[in-house]
mmCIF file of all heavy atoms in Angstrom:
data_model
loop_
_atom_site.group_PDB
_atom_site.id
_atom_site.type_symbol
_atom_site.label_atom_id
_atom_site.label_comp_id
_atom_site.label_asym_id
_atom_site.label_seq_id
_atom_site.Cartn_x
_atom_site.Cartn_y
_atom_site.Cartn_z
ATOM 1 N N MET A 20 115.254 102.562 107.207
ATOM 2 C CA MET A 20 115.457 103.446 106.090
ATOM 3 C C MET A 20 114.150 103.514 105.299
ATOM 4 O O MET A 20 113.481 102.511 105.112
ATOM 5 C CB MET A 20 116.592 102.895 105.226
ATOM 6 C CG MET A 20 116.986 103.806 104.107
ATOM 7 S SD MET A 20 118.350 103.199 103.080
ATOM 8 C CE MET A 20 119.510 102.538 104.222
ATOM 9 N N GLY A 21 113.812 104.683 104.829
ATOM 10 C CA GLY A 21 112.575 104.872 104.097
ATOM 11 C C GLY A 21 112.669 104.391 102.664
ATOM 12 O O GLY A 21 113.745 104.119 102.134
ATOM 13 N N SER A 22 111.513 104.295 102.037
ATOM 14 C CA SER A 22 111.473 103.786 100.674
ATOM 15 C C SER A 22 112.215 104.704 99.703
ATOM 16 O O SER A 22 112.893 104.232 98.788
ATOM 17 C CB SER A 22 110.026 103.592 100.227
ATOM 18 O OG SER A 22 109.336 104.828 100.193
ATOM 19 N N THR A 23 112.092 106.006 99.898
ATOM 20 C CA THR A 23 112.777 106.944 99.002
ATOM 21 C C THR A 23 114.284 106.802 99.132
ATOM 22 O O THR A 23 115.006 106.780 98.125
ATOM 23 C CB THR A 23 112.351 108.386 99.308
ATOM 24 O OG1 THR A 23 110.925 108.479 99.168
ATOM 25 C CG2 THR A 23 113.015 109.367 98.381
ATOM 26 N N ALA A 24 114.773 106.672 100.347
ATOM 27 C CA ALA A 24 116.217 106.511 100.569
ATOM 28 C C ALA A 24 116.711 105.217 99.931
ATOM 29 O O ALA A 24 117.794 105.198 99.326
ATOM 30 C CB ALA A 24 116.528 106.525 102.058
ATOM 31 N N ASP A 25 115.929 104.147 100.047
ATOM 32 C CA ASP A 25 116.311 102.876 99.423
ATOM 33 C C ASP A 25 116.415 103.032 97.907
ATOM 34 O O ASP A 25 117.355 102.548 97.283
ATOM 35 C CB ASP A 25 115.290 101.776 99.739
ATOM 36 C CG ASP A 25 115.382 101.272 101.163
ATOM 37 O OD1 ASP A 25 116.497 101.233 101.712
ATOM 38 O OD2 ASP A 25 114.334 100.904 101.726
ATOM 39 N N LYS A 26 115.437 103.719 97.325
ATOM 40 C CA LYS A 26 115.440 103.887 95.871
ATOM 41 C C LYS A 26 116.619 104.755 95.414
ATOM 42 O O LYS A 26 117.260 104.462 94.405
ATOM 43 C CB LYS A 26 114.120 104.480 95.401
ATOM 44 C CG LYS A 26 112.960 103.486 95.506
ATOM 45 C CD LYS A 26 111.719 104.036 94.844
ATOM 46 C CE LYS A 26 110.722 104.437 95.882
ATOM 47 N NZ LYS A 26 109.473 104.964 95.340
ATOM 48 N N ILE A 27 116.926 105.804 96.168
ATOM 49 C CA ILE A 27 118.045 106.682 95.811
ATOM 50 C C ILE A 27 119.367 105.930 95.916
ATOM 51 O O ILE A 27 120.206 105.994 95.019
ATOM 52 C CB ILE A 27 118.050 107.952 96.686
ATOM 53 C CG1 ILE A 27 116.857 108.835 96.319
ATOM 54 C CG2 ILE A 27 119.363 108.715 96.544
ATOM 55 C CD1 ILE A 27 116.620 109.980 97.276
ATOM 56 N N LYS A 28 119.562 105.200 97.023
ATOM 57 C CA LYS A 28 120.794 104.426 97.183
ATOM 58 C C LYS A 28 120.895 103.366 96.091
ATOM 59 O O LYS A 28 121.978 103.095 95.579
ATOM 60 C CB LYS A 28 120.848 103.768 98.559
ATOM 61 C CG LYS A 28 121.272 104.699 99.655
ATOM 62 C CD LYS A 28 121.541 103.933 100.923
ATOM 63 C CE LYS A 28 122.237 104.847 101.913
ATOM 64 N NZ LYS A 28 122.752 104.091 103.048
ATOM 65 N N GLY A 29 119.764 102.786 95.743
ATOM 66 C CA GLY A 29 119.752 101.778 94.685
ATOM 67 C C GLY A 29 120.188 102.355 93.349
ATOM 68 O O GLY A 29 120.982 101.753 92.625
ATOM 69 N N MET A 30 119.664 103.527 93.013
ATOM 70 C CA MET A 30 120.051 104.171 91.750
ATOM 71 C C MET A 30 121.536 104.522 91.749
ATOM 72 O O MET A 30 122.212 104.360 90.729
ATOM 73 C CB MET A 30 119.199 105.421 91.501
ATOM 74 C CG MET A 30 117.782 105.089 91.090
ATOM 75 S SD MET A 30 116.814 106.492 90.510
ATOM 76 C CE MET A 30 116.682 107.504 91.962
ATOM 77 N N ALA A 31 122.037 104.983 92.890
ATOM 78 C CA ALA A 31 123.457 105.330 92.986
ATOM 79 C C ALA A 31 124.329 104.086 92.819
ATOM 80 O O ALA A 31 125.351 104.125 92.111
ATOM 81 C CB ALA A 31 123.746 106.007 94.323
ATOM 82 N N ASN A 32 123.938 102.991 93.447
ATOM 83 C CA ASN A 32 124.710 101.750 93.317
ATOM 84 C C ASN A 32 124.658 101.217 91.890
ATOM 85 O O ASN A 32 125.658 100.713 91.377
ATOM 86 C CB ASN A 32 124.213 100.687 94.299
ATOM 87 C CG ASN A 32 124.893 100.787 95.638
ATOM 88 O OD1 ASN A 32 126.094 101.008 95.717
ATOM 89 N ND2 ASN A 32 124.130 100.638 96.702
ATOM 90 N N GLU A 33 123.507 101.330 91.252
ATOM 91 C CA GLU A 33 123.409 100.901 89.862
ATOM 92 C C GLU A 33 124.337 101.713 88.971
ATOM 93 O O GLU A 33 125.047 101.170 88.121
ATOM 94 C CB GLU A 33 121.972 101.055 89.351
ATOM 95 C CG GLU A 33 121.160 99.799 89.471
ATOM 96 C CD GLU A 33 119.881 99.884 88.677
ATOM 97 O OE1 GLU A 33 119.909 99.599 87.466
ATOM 98 O OE2 GLU A 33 118.857 100.238 89.273
ATOM 99 N N ALA A 34 124.314 103.014 89.149
ATOM 100 C CA ALA A 34 125.163 103.891 88.335
ATOM 101 C C ALA A 34 126.636 103.583 88.562
ATOM 102 O O ALA A 34 127.414 103.463 87.604
ATOM 103 C CB ALA A 34 124.865 105.350 88.648
ATOM 104 N N ALA A 35 127.032 103.457 89.814
ATOM 105 C CA ALA A 35 128.433 103.149 90.127
ATOM 106 C C ALA A 35 128.821 101.782 89.557
ATOM 107 O O ALA A 35 129.938 101.608 89.038
ATOM 108 C CB ALA A 35 128.660 103.187 91.634
ATOM 109 N N GLY A 36 127.908 100.845 89.641
ATOM 110 C CA GLY A 36 128.174 99.516 89.085
ATOM 111 C C GLY A 36 128.374 99.556 87.581
ATOM 112 O O GLY A 36 129.264 98.885 87.042
ATOM 113 N N ASN A 37 127.562 100.351 86.903
ATOM 114 C CA ASN A 37 127.716 100.479 85.451
ATOM 115 C C ASN A 37 129.057 101.098 85.087
ATOM 116 O O ASN A 37 129.696 100.686 84.112
ATOM 117 C CB ASN A 37 126.566 101.310 84.869
ATOM 118 C CG ASN A 37 125.270 100.541 84.807
ATOM 119 O OD1 ASN A 37 125.264 99.339 84.600
ATOM 120 N ND2 ASN A 37 124.160 101.227 84.993
ATOM 121 N N VAL A 38 129.490 102.086 85.867
ATOM 122 C CA VAL A 38 130.790 102.720 85.611
ATOM 123 C C VAL A 38 131.912 101.698 85.810
ATOM 124 O O VAL A 38 132.835 101.603 84.995
ATOM 125 C CB VAL A 38 130.988 103.953 86.520
ATOM 126 C CG1 VAL A 38 132.422 104.458 86.452
ATOM 127 C CG2 VAL A 38 130.008 105.051 86.140
ATOM 128 N N LYS A 39 131.825 100.927 86.894
ATOM 129 C CA LYS A 39 132.857 99.917 87.150
ATOM 130 C C LYS A 39 132.890 98.867 86.049
ATOM 131 O O LYS A 39 133.965 98.429 85.639
ATOM 132 C CB LYS A 39 132.619 99.238 88.503
ATOM 133 C CG LYS A 39 133.002 100.085 89.685
ATOM 134 C CD LYS A 39 132.790 99.324 90.975
ATOM 135 C CE LYS A 39 133.107 100.179 92.186
ATOM 136 N NZ LYS A 39 132.868 99.443 93.436
ATOM 137 N N GLN A 40 131.708 98.468 85.581
ATOM 138 C CA GLN A 40 131.663 97.482 84.500
ATOM 139 C C GLN A 40 132.354 98.015 83.247
ATOM 140 O O GLN A 40 133.148 97.312 82.616
ATOM 141 C CB GLN A 40 130.214 97.143 84.150
ATOM 142 C CG GLN A 40 129.534 96.253 85.146
ATOM 143 C CD GLN A 40 128.115 95.955 84.724
ATOM 144 O OE1 GLN A 40 127.886 95.344 83.697
ATOM 145 N NE2 GLN A 40 127.158 96.405 85.518
ATOM 146 N N ALA A 41 132.037 99.246 82.896
ATOM 147 C CA ALA A 41 132.630 99.846 81.703
ATOM 148 C C ALA A 41 134.134 99.989 81.861
ATOM 149 O O ALA A 41 134.898 99.697 80.928
ATOM 150 C CB ALA A 41 131.992 101.202 81.437
ATOM 151 N N ALA A 42 134.573 100.422 83.033
ATOM 152 C CA ALA A 42 136.012 100.576 83.280
ATOM 153 C C ALA A 42 136.708 99.223 83.214
ATOM 154 O O ALA A 42 137.787 99.094 82.623
ATOM 155 C CB ALA A 42 136.246 101.237 84.636
ATOM 156 N N GLY A 43 136.098 98.216 83.813
ATOM 157 C CA GLY A 43 136.679 96.874 83.788
ATOM 158 C C GLY A 43 136.794 96.329 82.382
ATOM 159 O O GLY A 43 137.797 95.702 82.019
ATOM 160 N N LYS A 44 135.770 96.589 81.589
ATOM 161 C CA LYS A 44 135.799 96.117 80.197
ATOM 162 C C LYS A 44 136.859 96.874 79.402
ATOM 163 O O LYS A 44 137.627 96.277 78.648
ATOM 164 C CB LYS A 44 134.414 96.313 79.573
ATOM 165 C CG LYS A 44 134.232 95.645 78.255
ATOM 166 C CD LYS A 44 132.782 95.717 77.797
ATOM 167 C CE LYS A 44 132.595 94.942 76.505
ATOM 168 N NZ LYS A 44 131.204 94.940 76.071
ATOM 169 N N THR A 45 136.900 98.190 79.572
ATOM 170 C CA THR A 45 137.856 99.023 78.836
ATOM 171 C C THR A 45 139.291 98.690 79.219
ATOM 172 O O THR A 45 140.169 98.616 78.361
ATOM 173 C CB THR A 45 137.582 100.517 79.104
ATOM 174 O OG1 THR A 45 136.251 100.818 78.688
ATOM 175 C CG2 THR A 45 138.546 101.400 78.362
ATOM 176 N N LEU A 46 139.527 98.498 80.511
ATOM 177 C CA LEU A 46 140.889 98.246 81.004
ATOM 178 C C LEU A 46 141.255 96.763 81.004
ATOM 179 O O LEU A 46 142.336 96.387 81.469
ATOM 180 C CB LEU A 46 141.039 98.809 82.424
ATOM 181 C CG LEU A 46 140.820 100.315 82.563
ATOM 182 C CD1 LEU A 46 140.794 100.713 84.033
ATOM 183 C CD2 LEU A 46 141.887 101.086 81.806
ATOM 184 N N ASN A 47 140.330 95.935 80.510
ATOM 185 C CA ASN A 47 140.528 94.489 80.484
ATOM 186 C C ASN A 47 140.819 93.939 81.885
ATOM 187 O O ASN A 47 141.792 93.220 82.110
ATOM 188 C CB ASN A 47 141.640 94.105 79.500
ATOM 189 C CG ASN A 47 141.604 92.624 79.166
ATOM 190 O OD1 ASN A 47 140.548 91.989 79.248
ATOM 191 N ND2 ASN A 47 142.745 92.072 78.805
ATOM 192 N N LYS A 48 139.956 94.343 82.837
ATOM 193 C CA LYS A 48 140.084 93.884 84.226
ATOM 194 C C LYS A 48 138.774 93.186 84.610
ATOM 195 O O LYS A 48 137.828 93.828 85.077
ATOM 196 C CB LYS A 48 140.364 95.054 85.159
ATOM 197 C CG LYS A 48 141.697 95.715 84.879
ATOM 198 C CD LYS A 48 142.091 96.642 85.988
ATOM 199 C CE LYS A 48 143.462 97.194 85.663
ATOM 200 N NZ LYS A 48 144.308 97.247 86.797
ATOM 201 N N PRO A 49 138.729 91.870 84.423
ATOM 202 C CA PRO A 49 137.491 91.136 84.698
ATOM 203 C C PRO A 49 137.017 91.251 86.151
ATOM 204 O O PRO A 49 135.826 91.237 86.421
ATOM 205 C CB PRO A 49 137.832 89.692 84.357
ATOM 206 C CG PRO A 49 139.126 89.721 83.640
ATOM 207 C CD PRO A 49 139.779 91.036 83.913
ATOM 208 N N GLY A 50 137.937 91.390 87.074
ATOM 209 C CA GLY A 50 137.572 91.526 88.484
ATOM 210 C C GLY A 50 136.776 92.794 88.739
ATOM 211 O O GLY A 50 135.778 92.779 89.460
ATOM 212 N N LEU A 51 137.211 93.880 88.139
ATOM 213 C CA LEU A 51 136.514 95.155 88.284
ATOM 214 C C LEU A 51 135.153 95.087 87.603
ATOM 215 O O LEU A 51 134.162 95.594 88.125
ATOM 216 C CB LEU A 51 137.357 96.292 87.692
ATOM 217 C CG LEU A 51 136.795 97.709 87.827
ATOM 218 C CD1 LEU A 51 136.592 98.085 89.293
ATOM 219 C CD2 LEU A 51 137.724 98.703 87.144
ATOM 220 N N GLN A 52 135.111 94.436 86.467
ATOM 221 C CA GLN A 52 133.846 94.279 85.749
ATOM 222 C C GLN A 52 132.865 93.457 86.584
ATOM 223 O O GLN A 52 131.696 93.814 86.704
ATOM 224 C CB GLN A 52 134.097 93.611 84.406
ATOM 225 C CG GLN A 52 132.933 93.668 83.455
ATOM 226 C CD GLN A 52 133.284 93.155 82.066
ATOM 227 O OE1 GLN A 52 134.415 92.743 81.809
ATOM 228 N NE2 GLN A 52 132.333 93.181 81.178
ATOM 229 N N ALA A 53 133.330 92.392 87.203
ATOM 230 C CA ALA A 53 132.482 91.554 88.051
ATOM 231 C C ALA A 53 132.000 92.327 89.273
ATOM 232 O O ALA A 53 130.840 92.194 89.692
ATOM 233 C CB ALA A 53 133.238 90.299 88.478
ATOM 234 N N GLU A 54 132.880 93.130 89.837
ATOM 235 C CA GLU A 54 132.497 93.963 90.976
ATOM 236 C C GLU A 54 131.389 94.934 90.573
ATOM 237 O O GLU A 54 130.437 95.173 91.328
ATOM 238 C CB GLU A 54 133.726 94.738 91.463
ATOM 239 C CG GLU A 54 133.525 95.487 92.751
ATOM 240 C CD GLU A 54 134.791 96.215 93.186
ATOM 241 O OE1 GLU A 54 135.895 95.632 93.083
ATOM 242 O OE2 GLU A 54 134.670 97.369 93.637
ATOM 243 N N GLY A 55 131.489 95.472 89.383
ATOM 244 C CA GLY A 55 130.462 96.374 88.879
ATOM 245 C C GLY A 55 129.133 95.681 88.697
ATOM 246 O O GLY A 55 128.077 96.235 89.031
ATOM 247 N N ILE A 56 129.165 94.465 88.190
ATOM 248 C CA ILE A 56 127.928 93.700 88.015
ATOM 249 C C ILE A 56 127.273 93.456 89.368
ATOM 250 O O ILE A 56 126.065 93.635 89.525
ATOM 251 C CB ILE A 56 128.214 92.369 87.282
ATOM 252 C CG1 ILE A 56 128.607 92.657 85.831
ATOM 253 C CG2 ILE A 56 127.014 91.434 87.344
ATOM 254 C CD1 ILE A 56 129.164 91.460 85.085
ATOM 255 N N ALA A 57 128.079 93.077 90.353
ATOM 256 C CA ALA A 57 127.551 92.822 91.698
ATOM 257 C C ALA A 57 126.942 94.089 92.294
ATOM 258 O O ALA A 57 125.870 94.050 92.904
ATOM 259 C CB ALA A 57 128.650 92.276 92.603
ATOM 260 N N GLN A 58 127.613 95.207 92.105
ATOM 261 C CA GLN A 58 127.106 96.465 92.662
ATOM 262 C C GLN A 58 125.817 96.886 91.953
ATOM 263 O O GLN A 58 124.897 97.400 92.578
ATOM 264 C CB GLN A 58 128.163 97.565 92.556
ATOM 265 C CG GLN A 58 127.764 98.818 93.321
ATOM 266 C CD GLN A 58 128.913 99.789 93.476
ATOM 267 O OE1 GLN A 58 130.009 99.584 92.966
ATOM 268 N NE2 GLN A 58 128.663 100.862 94.195
ATOM 269 N N GLU A 59 125.749 96.645 90.663
ATOM 270 C CA GLU A 59 124.530 96.966 89.917
ATOM 271 C C GLU A 59 123.359 96.125 90.436
ATOM 272 O O GLU A 59 122.256 96.632 90.651
ATOM 273 C CB GLU A 59 124.729 96.716 88.427
ATOM 274 C CG GLU A 59 123.499 97.081 87.610
ATOM 275 C CD GLU A 59 123.654 96.781 86.139
ATOM 276 O OE1 GLU A 59 124.655 96.160 85.715
ATOM 277 O OE2 GLU A 59 122.749 97.179 85.394
ATOM 278 N N ARG A 60 123.601 94.847 90.668
ATOM 279 C CA ARG A 60 122.541 93.959 91.191
ATOM 280 C C ARG A 60 122.100 94.412 92.584
ATOM 281 O O ARG A 60 120.918 94.377 92.915
ATOM 282 C CB ARG A 60 123.021 92.509 91.241
ATOM 283 C CG ARG A 60 123.388 91.912 89.916
ATOM 284 C CD ARG A 60 122.205 91.833 88.960
ATOM 285 N NE ARG A 60 122.601 91.266 87.696
ATOM 286 C CZ ARG A 60 122.827 91.956 86.583
ATOM 287 N NH1 ARG A 60 122.672 93.260 86.578
ATOM 288 N NH2 ARG A 60 123.194 91.362 85.480
ATOM 289 N N LYS A 61 123.059 94.843 93.400
ATOM 290 C CA LYS A 61 122.733 95.357 94.734
ATOM 291 C C LYS A 61 121.818 96.567 94.609
ATOM 292 O O LYS A 61 120.829 96.697 95.337
ATOM 293 C CB LYS A 61 124.013 95.743 95.478
ATOM 294 C CG LYS A 61 123.774 96.330 96.847
ATOM 295 C CD LYS A 61 125.090 96.745 97.508
ATOM 296 C CE LYS A 61 124.837 97.439 98.824
ATOM 297 N NZ LYS A 61 126.085 97.885 99.448
ATOM 298 N N GLY A 62 122.128 97.444 93.682
ATOM 299 C CA GLY A 62 121.301 98.624 93.455
ATOM 300 C C GLY A 62 119.896 98.264 93.013
ATOM 301 O O GLY A 62 118.907 98.856 93.470
ATOM 302 N N GLU A 63 119.792 97.275 92.136
ATOM 303 C CA GLU A 63 118.476 96.824 91.687
ATOM 304 C C GLU A 63 117.669 96.279 92.861
ATOM 305 O O GLU A 63 116.466 96.535 92.971
ATOM 306 C CB GLU A 63 118.632 95.765 90.598
ATOM 307 C CG GLU A 63 119.151 96.325 89.286
ATOM 308 C CD GLU A 63 119.558 95.256 88.288
ATOM 309 O OE1 GLU A 63 119.540 94.054 88.615
ATOM 310 O OE2 GLU A 63 119.910 95.623 87.155
ATOM 311 N N ALA A 64 118.329 95.532 93.737
ATOM 312 C CA ALA A 64 117.648 94.972 94.904
ATOM 313 C C ALA A 64 117.195 96.079 95.857
ATOM 314 O O ALA A 64 116.090 96.020 96.411
ATOM 315 C CB ALA A 64 118.559 93.988 95.632
ATOM 316 N N GLN A 65 118.038 97.096 96.044
ATOM 317 C CA GLN A 65 117.656 98.208 96.920
ATOM 318 C C GLN A 65 116.443 98.950 96.357
ATOM 319 O O GLN A 65 115.548 99.327 97.116
ATOM 320 C CB GLN A 65 118.825 99.185 97.073
ATOM 321 C CG GLN A 65 119.906 98.701 97.993
ATOM 322 C CD GLN A 65 121.114 99.627 98.010
ATOM 323 O OE1 GLN A 65 121.563 100.094 96.962
ATOM 324 N NE2 GLN A 65 121.647 99.865 99.188
ATOM 325 N N GLN A 66 116.414 99.144 95.057
ATOM 326 C CA GLN A 66 115.264 99.814 94.460
ATOM 327 C C GLN A 66 113.999 98.973 94.616
ATOM 328 O O GLN A 66 112.924 99.499 94.907
ATOM 329 C CB GLN A 66 115.520 100.101 92.981
ATOM 330 C CG GLN A 66 116.496 101.236 92.778
ATOM 331 C CD GLN A 66 116.574 101.639 91.335
ATOM 332 O OE1 GLN A 66 115.583 102.096 90.782
ATOM 333 N NE2 GLN A 66 117.726 101.468 90.726
ATOM 334 N N ALA A 67 114.123 97.667 94.446
ATOM 335 C CA ALA A 67 112.978 96.780 94.616
ATOM 336 C C ALA A 67 112.474 96.828 96.054
ATOM 337 O O ALA A 67 111.263 96.824 96.296
ATOM 338 C CB ALA A 67 113.353 95.352 94.226
ATOM 339 N N LEU A 68 113.384 96.898 96.996
ATOM 340 C CA LEU A 68 113.004 97.001 98.404
ATOM 341 C C LEU A 68 112.215 98.289 98.643
ATOM 342 O O LEU A 68 111.182 98.283 99.309
ATOM 343 C CB LEU A 68 114.246 96.967 99.300
ATOM 344 C CG LEU A 68 114.014 97.148 100.801
ATOM 345 C CD1 LEU A 68 113.167 96.003 101.349
ATOM 346 C CD2 LEU A 68 115.339 97.222 101.532
ATOM 347 N N GLY A 69 112.694 99.384 98.086
ATOM 348 C CA GLY A 69 111.992 100.658 98.225
ATOM 349 C C GLY A 69 110.603 100.604 97.634
ATOM 350 O O GLY A 69 109.636 101.100 98.225
ATOM 351 N N LYS A 70 110.465 99.979 96.468
ATOM 352 C CA LYS A 70 109.154 99.850 95.827
ATOM 353 C C LYS A 70 108.241 98.958 96.663
ATOM 354 O O LYS A 70 107.042 99.204 96.769
ATOM 355 C CB LYS A 70 109.308 99.300 94.415
ATOM 356 C CG LYS A 70 109.921 100.305 93.464
ATOM 357 C CD LYS A 70 110.157 99.720 92.083
ATOM 358 C CE LYS A 70 110.866 100.731 91.192
ATOM 359 N NZ LYS A 70 111.177 100.179 89.873
ATOM 360 N N GLY A 71 108.820 97.913 97.253
ATOM 361 C CA GLY A 71 108.039 97.029 98.123
ATOM 362 C C GLY A 71 107.531 97.768 99.356
ATOM 363 O O GLY A 71 106.382 97.587 99.770
ATOM 364 N N LYS A 72 108.374 98.601 99.921
ATOM 365 C CA LYS A 72 107.951 99.391 101.079
ATOM 366 C C LYS A 72 106.816 100.341 100.703
ATOM 367 O O LYS A 72 105.879 100.541 101.478
ATOM 368 C CB LYS A 72 109.129 100.192 101.648
ATOM 369 C CG LYS A 72 110.120 99.357 102.414
ATOM 370 C CD LYS A 72 111.252 100.233 102.945
ATOM 371 C CE LYS A 72 112.279 99.450 103.713
ATOM 372 N NZ LYS A 72 113.369 100.317 104.222
ATOM 373 N N ASP A 73 106.900 100.924 99.506
ATOM 374 C CA ASP A 73 105.821 101.795 99.030
ATOM 375 C C ASP A 73 104.511 101.026 98.926
ATOM 376 O O ASP A 73 103.451 101.521 99.319
ATOM 377 C CB ASP A 73 106.158 102.396 97.658
ATOM 378 C CG ASP A 73 107.125 103.559 97.739
ATOM 379 O OD1 ASP A 73 107.310 104.118 98.843
ATOM 380 O OD2 ASP A 73 107.694 103.916 96.683
ATOM 381 N N ALA A 74 104.584 99.810 98.391
ATOM 382 C CA ALA A 74 103.377 98.991 98.223
ATOM 383 C C ALA A 74 102.764 98.648 99.570
ATOM 384 O O ALA A 74 101.543 98.736 99.747
ATOM 385 C CB ALA A 74 103.717 97.725 97.450
ATOM 386 N N VAL A 75 103.599 98.282 100.534
ATOM 387 C CA VAL A 75 103.100 97.946 101.869
ATOM 388 C C VAL A 75 102.451 99.167 102.510
ATOM 389 O O VAL A 75 101.380 99.094 103.113
ATOM 390 C CB VAL A 75 104.229 97.392 102.761
ATOM 391 C CG1 VAL A 75 103.795 97.305 104.211
ATOM 392 C CG2 VAL A 75 104.688 96.037 102.254
ATOM 393 N N LYS A 76 103.087 100.320 102.354
ATOM 394 C CA LYS A 76 102.553 101.551 102.916
ATOM 395 C C LYS A 76 101.183 101.877 102.334
ATOM 396 O O LYS A 76 100.270 102.282 103.045
ATOM 397 C CB LYS A 76 103.520 102.714 102.684
ATOM 398 C CG LYS A 76 103.088 104.007 103.352
ATOM 399 C CD LYS A 76 104.117 105.094 103.120
ATOM 400 C CE LYS A 76 103.793 106.383 103.813
ATOM 401 N NZ LYS A 76 102.452 106.878 103.697
ATOM 402 N N LYS A 77 101.017 101.675 101.032
ATOM 403 C CA LYS A 77 99.725 101.935 100.391
ATOM 404 C C LYS A 77 98.640 101.031 100.958
ATOM 405 O O LYS A 77 97.515 101.471 101.195
ATOM 406 C CB LYS A 77 99.830 101.733 98.879
ATOM 407 C CG LYS A 77 100.517 102.869 98.172
ATOM 408 C CD LYS A 77 100.565 102.643 96.671
ATOM 409 C CE LYS A 77 101.371 103.741 95.987
ATOM 410 N NZ LYS A 77 101.485 103.518 94.539
ATOM 411 N N VAL A 78 98.983 99.766 101.181
ATOM 412 C CA VAL A 78 98.005 98.825 101.749
ATOM 413 C C VAL A 78 97.634 99.245 103.168
ATOM 414 O O VAL A 78 96.460 99.242 103.526
ATOM 415 C CB VAL A 78 98.566 97.385 101.740
ATOM 416 C CG1 VAL A 78 97.680 96.438 102.543
ATOM 417 C CG2 VAL A 78 98.713 96.891 100.307
ATOM 418 N N ILE A 79 98.618 99.620 103.946
ATOM 419 C CA ILE A 79 98.372 100.031 105.339
ATOM 420 C C ILE A 79 97.537 101.312 105.367
ATOM 421 O O ILE A 79 96.615 101.451 106.172
ATOM 422 C CB ILE A 79 99.694 100.213 106.101
ATOM 423 C CG1 ILE A 79 100.342 98.854 106.321
ATOM 424 C CG2 ILE A 79 99.476 100.920 107.435
ATOM 425 C CD1 ILE A 79 101.745 98.911 106.868
ATOM 426 N N ASP A 80 97.845 102.253 104.470
ATOM 427 C CA ASP A 80 97.103 103.501 104.435
ATOM 428 C C ASP A 80 95.631 103.304 104.073
ATOM 429 O O ASP A 80 94.776 104.052 104.510
ATOM 430 C CB ASP A 80 97.746 104.483 103.440
ATOM 431 C CG ASP A 80 99.064 105.043 103.955
ATOM 432 O OD1 ASP A 80 99.348 104.913 105.165
ATOM 433 O OD2 ASP A 80 99.812 105.618 103.134
ATOM 434 N N LYS A 81 95.342 102.282 103.265
ATOM 435 C CA LYS A 81 93.964 101.992 102.883
ATOM 436 C C LYS A 81 93.176 101.347 104.023
ATOM 437 O O LYS A 81 91.950 101.426 104.038
ATOM 438 C CB LYS A 81 93.918 101.084 101.660
ATOM 439 C CG LYS A 81 94.260 101.780 100.370
ATOM 440 C CD LYS A 81 94.094 100.850 99.206
ATOM 441 C CE LYS A 81 94.423 101.572 97.911
ATOM 442 N NZ LYS A 81 94.229 100.661 96.748
ATOM 443 N N ALA A 82 93.865 100.700 104.947
ATOM 444 C CA ALA A 82 93.193 99.982 106.037
ATOM 445 C C ALA A 82 92.575 100.918 107.051
ATOM 446 O O ALA A 82 92.803 102.038 107.191
ATOM 447 C CB ALA A 82 94.191 99.052 106.738
#
């Protein structure tokens, strides 16, 4: 998967995680809130992976 796809999927997971967190808090469902936190962290990791791929590509392109 390319860096752009990783970053897009990461942003989508972060957004979905934030929605789940808010819903869990509003509905007093700690399980849903925890699921949202986990999904948000997954999204952050995917975005970091995409940024890392960009950095590696820049180094390779300079070589």
Side-chain angles (χ1 to χ4, degrees):
M20 186 179 318
S22 63
T23 302
D25 286 326
K26 289 188 253 181
I27 291 170
K28 280 190 168 191
M30 286 190 295
N32 272 319
E33 265 193 85
N37 285 327
V38 169
K39 284 182 183 179
Q40 285 181 63
K44 191 172 184 177
T45 301
L46 299 172
N47 196 26
K48 295 193 177 222
L51 183 59
Q52 193 172 0
E54 188 179 318
I56 291 169
Q58 189 168 4
E59 182 183 7
R60 298 297 179 258
K61 178 182 175 182
E63 290 169 355
Q65 284 174 316
Q66 286 189 64
L68 177 63
K70 289 176 184 177
K72 286 180 180 180
D73 282 344
V75 169
K76 185 178 183 313
K77 283 182 185 178
V78 170
I79 290 171
D80 288 345
K81 285 184 179 181

